[in-house]
PDB file of all heavy atoms in Angstrom:
ATOM      1  N   ALA A 192      11.557   6.680   1.453  1.00 98.00           N
ATOM      2  CA  ALA A 192      10.915   7.243   0.267  1.00 98.00           C
ATOM      3  C   ALA A 192      11.402   8.679   0.111  1.00 98.00           C
ATOM      4  O   ALA A 192      11.756   9.326   1.095  1.00 98.00           O
ATOM      5  CB  ALA A 192       9.397   7.218   0.419  1.00 98.00           C
ATOM      6  N   VAL A 193      11.453   9.171  -1.134  1.00 98.00           N
ATOM      7  CA  VAL A 193      11.917  10.544  -1.363  1.00 98.00           C
ATOM      8  C   VAL A 193      10.855  11.312  -2.142  1.00 98.00           C
ATOM      9  O   VAL A 193      10.402  10.863  -3.197  1.00 98.00           O
ATOM     10  CB  VAL A 193      13.248  10.572  -2.161  1.00 98.00           C
ATOM     11  CG1 VAL A 193      13.708  12.016  -2.374  1.00 98.00           C
ATOM     12  CG2 VAL A 193      14.335   9.769  -1.450  1.00 98.00           C
ATOM     13  N   VAL A 194      10.435  12.466  -1.595  1.00 98.00           N
ATOM     14  CA  VAL A 194       9.579  13.402  -2.322  1.00 98.00           C
ATOM     15  C   VAL A 194      10.501  14.515  -2.790  1.00 98.00           C
ATOM     16  O   VAL A 194      10.997  15.310  -1.996  1.00 98.00           O
ATOM     17  CB  VAL A 194       8.467  13.983  -1.427  1.00 98.00           C
ATOM     18  CG1 VAL A 194       7.581  14.935  -2.238  1.00 98.00           C
ATOM     19  CG2 VAL A 194       7.635  12.865  -0.803  1.00 98.00           C
ATOM     20  N   LEU A 195      10.776  14.526  -4.094  1.00 97.00           N
ATOM     21  CA  LEU A 195      11.790  15.393  -4.667  1.00 97.00           C
ATOM     22  C   LEU A 195      11.126  16.497  -5.479  1.00 97.00           C
ATOM     23  O   LEU A 195      10.557  16.240  -6.539  1.00 97.00           O
ATOM     24  CB  LEU A 195      12.691  14.540  -5.577  1.00 97.00           C
ATOM     25  CG  LEU A 195      13.662  15.256  -6.489  1.00 97.00           C
ATOM     26  CD1 LEU A 195      14.732  15.961  -5.683  1.00 97.00           C
ATOM     27  CD2 LEU A 195      14.278  14.258  -7.463  1.00 97.00           C
ATOM     28  N   VAL A 196      11.153  17.733  -4.978  1.00 97.00           N
ATOM     29  CA  VAL A 196      10.586  18.853  -5.723  1.00 97.00           C
ATOM     30  C   VAL A 196      11.665  19.469  -6.602  1.00 97.00           C
ATOM     31  O   VAL A 196      12.746  19.810  -6.126  1.00 97.00           O
ATOM     32  CB  VAL A 196      10.007  19.920  -4.767  1.00 97.00           C
ATOM     33  CG1 VAL A 196       9.721  21.220  -5.522  1.00 97.00           C
ATOM     34  CG2 VAL A 196       8.735  19.414  -4.108  1.00 97.00           C
ATOM     35  N   THR A 197      11.383  19.557  -7.908  1.00 95.00           N
ATOM     36  CA  THR A 197      12.361  20.144  -8.820  1.00 95.00           C
ATOM     37  C   THR A 197      11.660  20.678 -10.058  1.00 95.00           C
ATOM     38  O   THR A 197      10.571  20.238 -10.405  1.00 95.00           O
ATOM     39  CB  THR A 197      13.429  19.106  -9.235  1.00 95.00           C
ATOM     40  OG1 THR A 197      14.377  19.739 -10.101  1.00 95.00           O
ATOM     41  CG2 THR A 197      12.808  17.915  -9.948  1.00 95.00           C
ATOM     42  N   HIS A 198      12.286  21.649 -10.724  1.00 91.00           N
ATOM     43  CA  HIS A 198      11.743  22.055 -12.020  1.00 91.00           C
ATOM     44  C   HIS A 198      12.673  21.594 -13.139  1.00 91.00           C
ATOM     45  O   HIS A 198      12.452  21.905 -14.300  1.00 91.00           O
ATOM     46  CB  HIS A 198      11.523  23.574 -12.062  1.00 91.00           C
ATOM     47  CG  HIS A 198      12.786  24.357 -11.899  1.00 91.00           C
ATOM     48  ND1 HIS A 198      13.305  24.659 -10.664  1.00 91.00           N
ATOM     49  CD2 HIS A 198      13.636  24.860 -12.801  1.00 91.00           C
ATOM     50  CE1 HIS A 198      14.439  25.322 -10.827  1.00 91.00           C
ATOM     51  NE2 HIS A 198      14.665  25.454 -12.107  1.00 91.00           N
ATOM     52  N   GLU A 199      13.722  20.822 -12.767  1.00 92.00           N
ATOM     53  CA  GLU A 199      14.706  20.389 -13.750  1.00 92.00           C
ATOM     54  C   GLU A 199      14.507  18.918 -14.126  1.00 92.00           C
ATOM     55  O   GLU A 199      14.568  18.034 -13.275  1.00 92.00           O
ATOM     56  CB  GLU A 199      16.112  20.530 -13.188  1.00 92.00           C
ATOM     57  CG  GLU A 199      16.553  21.959 -12.976  1.00 92.00           C
ATOM     58  CD  GLU A 199      17.956  21.987 -12.395  1.00 92.00           C
ATOM     59  OE1 GLU A 199      18.911  21.829 -13.181  1.00 92.00           O
ATOM     60  OE2 GLU A 199      18.102  22.132 -11.180  1.00 92.00           O
ATOM     61  N   ALA A 200      14.328  18.655 -15.416  1.00 93.00           N
ATOM     62  CA  ALA A 200      14.146  17.283 -15.895  1.00 93.00           C
ATOM     63  C   ALA A 200      15.355  16.412 -15.559  1.00 93.00           C
ATOM     64  O   ALA A 200      15.214  15.226 -15.255  1.00 93.00           O
ATOM     65  CB  ALA A 200      13.902  17.283 -17.403  1.00 93.00           C
ATOM     66  N   ARG A 201      16.537  17.019 -15.590  1.00 94.00           N
ATOM     67  CA  ARG A 201      17.762  16.276 -15.316  1.00 94.00           C
ATOM     68  C   ARG A 201      17.785  15.738 -13.886  1.00 94.00           C
ATOM     69  O   ARG A 201      18.334  14.670 -13.619  1.00 94.00           O
ATOM     70  CB  ARG A 201      18.954  17.212 -15.536  1.00 94.00           C
ATOM     71  CG  ARG A 201      20.182  16.512 -16.065  1.00 94.00           C
ATOM     72  CD  ARG A 201      21.453  17.232 -15.701  1.00 94.00           C
ATOM     73  NE  ARG A 201      21.408  18.654 -15.885  1.00 94.00           N
ATOM     74  CZ  ARG A 201      22.126  19.307 -16.800  1.00 94.00           C
ATOM     75  NH1 ARG A 201      22.905  18.668 -17.622  1.00 94.00           N
ATOM     76  NH2 ARG A 201      22.055  20.620 -16.876  1.00 94.00           N
ATOM     77  N   VAL A 202      17.196  16.504 -12.969  1.00 95.00           N
ATOM     78  CA  VAL A 202      17.129  16.088 -11.562  1.00 95.00           C
ATOM     79  C   VAL A 202      16.013  15.053 -11.386  1.00 95.00           C
ATOM     80  O   VAL A 202      16.184  14.030 -10.728  1.00 95.00           O
ATOM     81  CB  VAL A 202      16.911  17.315 -10.650  1.00 95.00           C
ATOM     82  CG1 VAL A 202      16.681  16.887  -9.209  1.00 95.00           C
ATOM     83  CG2 VAL A 202      18.110  18.253 -10.743  1.00 95.00           C
ATOM     84  N   ALA A 203      14.876  15.292 -12.059  1.00 96.00           N
ATOM     85  CA  ALA A 203      13.740  14.366 -11.974  1.00 96.00           C
ATOM     86  C   ALA A 203      14.094  12.999 -12.535  1.00 96.00           C
ATOM     87  O   ALA A 203      13.470  11.996 -12.176  1.00 96.00           O
ATOM     88  CB  ALA A 203      12.537  14.948 -12.699  1.00 96.00           C
ATOM     89  N   ALA A 204      15.109  12.951 -13.395  1.00 96.00           N
ATOM     90  CA  ALA A 204      15.516  11.684 -14.007  1.00 96.00           C
ATOM     91  C   ALA A 204      15.979  10.670 -12.954  1.00 96.00           C
ATOM     92  O   ALA A 204      16.007   9.471 -13.229  1.00 96.00           O
ATOM     93  CB  ALA A 204      16.632  11.925 -15.024  1.00 96.00           C
ATOM     94  N   TYR A 205      16.318  11.123 -11.762  1.00 96.00           N
ATOM     95  CA  TYR A 205      16.733  10.210 -10.695  1.00 96.00           C
ATOM     96  C   TYR A 205      15.543   9.568  -9.976  1.00 96.00           C
ATOM     97  O   TYR A 205      15.731   8.752  -9.083  1.00 96.00           O
ATOM     98  CB  TYR A 205      17.616  10.941  -9.680  1.00 96.00           C
ATOM     99  CG  TYR A 205      18.991  11.256 -10.230  1.00 96.00           C
ATOM    100  CD1 TYR A 205      19.225  12.430 -10.921  1.00 96.00           C
ATOM    101  CD2 TYR A 205      20.034  10.351 -10.090  1.00 96.00           C
ATOM    102  CE1 TYR A 205      20.473  12.714 -11.453  1.00 96.00           C
ATOM    103  CE2 TYR A 205      21.284  10.613 -10.618  1.00 96.00           C
ATOM    104  CZ  TYR A 205      21.502  11.801 -11.300  1.00 96.00           C
ATOM    105  OH  TYR A 205      22.727  12.069 -11.837  1.00 96.00           O
ATOM    106  N   SER A 206      14.326   9.938 -10.345  1.00 97.00           N
ATOM    107  CA  SER A 206      13.150   9.423  -9.638  1.00 97.00           C
ATOM    108  C   SER A 206      12.618   8.150 -10.306  1.00 97.00           C
ATOM    109  O   SER A 206      12.977   7.825 -11.433  1.00 97.00           O
ATOM    110  CB  SER A 206      12.044  10.484  -9.621  1.00 97.00           C
ATOM    111  OG  SER A 206      11.515  10.649 -10.931  1.00 97.00           O
ATOM    112  N   ASP A 207      11.725   7.457  -9.588  1.00 96.00           N
ATOM    113  CA  ASP A 207      11.029   6.303 -10.156  1.00 96.00           C
ATOM    114  C   ASP A 207       9.781   6.748 -10.914  1.00 96.00           C
ATOM    115  O   ASP A 207       9.279   6.036 -11.773  1.00 96.00           O
ATOM    116  CB  ASP A 207      10.582   5.346  -9.032  1.00 96.00           C
ATOM    117  CG  ASP A 207      11.746   4.857  -8.204  1.00 96.00           C
ATOM    118  OD1 ASP A 207      12.774   4.478  -8.794  1.00 96.00           O
ATOM    119  OD2 ASP A 207      11.637   4.858  -6.962  1.00 96.00           O
ATOM    120  N   ARG A 208       9.239   7.913 -10.550  1.00 95.00           N
ATOM    121  CA  ARG A 208       7.928   8.327 -11.053  1.00 95.00           C
ATOM    122  C   ARG A 208       7.819   9.840 -10.916  1.00 95.00           C
ATOM    123  O   ARG A 208       8.403  10.422 -10.016  1.00 95.00           O
ATOM    124  CB  ARG A 208       6.853   7.650 -10.203  1.00 95.00           C
ATOM    125  CG  ARG A 208       5.450   7.794 -10.682  1.00 95.00           C
ATOM    126  CD  ARG A 208       4.590   6.680 -10.083  1.00 95.00           C
ATOM    127  NE  ARG A 208       4.574   6.716  -8.624  1.00 95.00           N
ATOM    128  CZ  ARG A 208       3.737   7.468  -7.916  1.00 95.00           C
ATOM    129  NH1 ARG A 208       2.852   8.235  -8.511  1.00 95.00           N
ATOM    130  NH2 ARG A 208       3.773   7.435  -6.609  1.00 95.00           N
ATOM    131  N   GLU A 209       7.033  10.437 -11.818  1.00 95.00           N
ATOM    132  CA  GLU A 209       6.886  11.894 -11.772  1.00 95.00           C
ATOM    133  C   GLU A 209       5.433  12.294 -11.548  1.00 95.00           C
ATOM    134  O   GLU A 209       4.522  11.673 -12.088  1.00 95.00           O
ATOM    135  CB  GLU A 209       7.362  12.514 -13.095  1.00 95.00           C
ATOM    136  CG  GLU A 209       8.853  12.367 -13.285  1.00 95.00           C
ATOM    137  CD  GLU A 209       9.338  12.915 -14.615  1.00 95.00           C
ATOM    138  OE1 GLU A 209       8.562  13.631 -15.293  1.00 95.00           O
ATOM    139  OE2 GLU A 209      10.495  12.605 -14.968  1.00 95.00           O
ATOM    140  N   ILE A 210       5.269  13.337 -10.741  1.00 95.00           N
ATOM    141  CA  ILE A 210       3.957  13.950 -10.569  1.00 95.00           C
ATOM    142  C   ILE A 210       4.114  15.395 -11.024  1.00 95.00           C
ATOM    143  O   ILE A 210       5.039  16.083 -10.592  1.00 95.00           O
ATOM    144  CB  ILE A 210       3.505  13.837  -9.102  1.00 95.00           C
ATOM    145  CG1 ILE A 210       3.097  12.380  -8.821  1.00 95.00           C
ATOM    146  CG2 ILE A 210       2.354  14.800  -8.800  1.00 95.00           C
ATOM    147  CD1 ILE A 210       2.657  12.085  -7.416  1.00 95.00           C
ATOM    148  N   VAL A 211       3.272  15.821 -11.956  1.00 95.00           N
ATOM    149  CA  VAL A 211       3.422  17.150 -12.532  1.00 95.00           C
ATOM    150  C   VAL A 211       2.364  18.084 -11.964  1.00 95.00           C
ATOM    151  O   VAL A 211       1.182  17.742 -11.936  1.00 95.00           O
ATOM    152  CB  VAL A 211       3.333  17.097 -14.074  1.00 95.00           C
ATOM    153  CG1 VAL A 211       3.368  18.506 -14.666  1.00 95.00           C
ATOM    154  CG2 VAL A 211       4.488  16.271 -14.633  1.00 95.00           C
ATOM    155  N   VAL A 212       2.820  19.245 -11.481  1.00 95.00           N
ATOM    156  CA  VAL A 212       1.913  20.244 -10.911  1.00 95.00           C
ATOM    157  C   VAL A 212       1.802  21.420 -11.874  1.00 95.00           C
ATOM    158  O   VAL A 212       2.807  21.940 -12.357  1.00 95.00           O
ATOM    159  CB  VAL A 212       2.434  20.759  -9.544  1.00 95.00           C
ATOM    160  CG1 VAL A 212       1.418  21.699  -8.906  1.00 95.00           C
ATOM    161  CG2 VAL A 212       2.750  19.609  -8.610  1.00 95.00           C
ATOM    162  N   ARG A 213       0.554  21.808 -12.169  1.00 94.00           N
ATOM    163  CA  ARG A 213       0.296  22.999 -12.975  1.00 94.00           C
ATOM    164  C   ARG A 213      -0.870  23.756 -12.366  1.00 94.00           C
ATOM    165  O   ARG A 213      -1.914  23.170 -12.143  1.00 94.00           O
ATOM    166  CB  ARG A 213      -0.073  22.603 -14.408  1.00 94.00           C
ATOM    167  CG  ARG A 213       1.128  22.572 -15.304  1.00 94.00           C
ATOM    168  CD  ARG A 213       0.776  22.254 -16.742  1.00 94.00           C
ATOM    169  NE  ARG A 213       1.883  21.491 -17.313  1.00 94.00           N
ATOM    170  CZ  ARG A 213       3.080  22.004 -17.577  1.00 94.00           C
ATOM    171  NH1 ARG A 213       3.311  23.278 -17.377  1.00 94.00           N
ATOM    172  NH2 ARG A 213       4.044  21.245 -18.044  1.00 94.00           N
ATOM    173  N   ASP A 214      -0.670  25.036 -12.109  1.00 93.00           N
ATOM    174  CA  ASP A 214      -1.734  25.874 -11.536  1.00 93.00           C
ATOM    175  C   ASP A 214      -2.401  25.217 -10.334  1.00 93.00           C
ATOM    176  O   ASP A 214      -3.628  25.245 -10.202  1.00 93.00           O
ATOM    177  CB  ASP A 214      -2.807  26.181 -12.596  1.00 93.00           C
ATOM    178  CG  ASP A 214      -2.224  26.930 -13.778  1.00 93.00           C
ATOM    179  OD1 ASP A 214      -1.267  27.710 -13.554  1.00 93.00           O
ATOM    180  OD2 ASP A 214      -2.700  26.735 -14.904  1.00 93.00           O
TER     181      ASP A 214
END
Side-chain angles (χ1 to χ4, degrees):
V193 180
V194 181
L195 169 67
V196 167
T197 181
H198 62 275
E199 292 179 80
R201 213 206 315 247
V202 174
Y205 288 88
S206 70
D207 301 315
R208 188 159 60 86
E209 292 177 13
I210 286 179
V211 175
V212 185
R213 267 183 213 290
D214 299 328

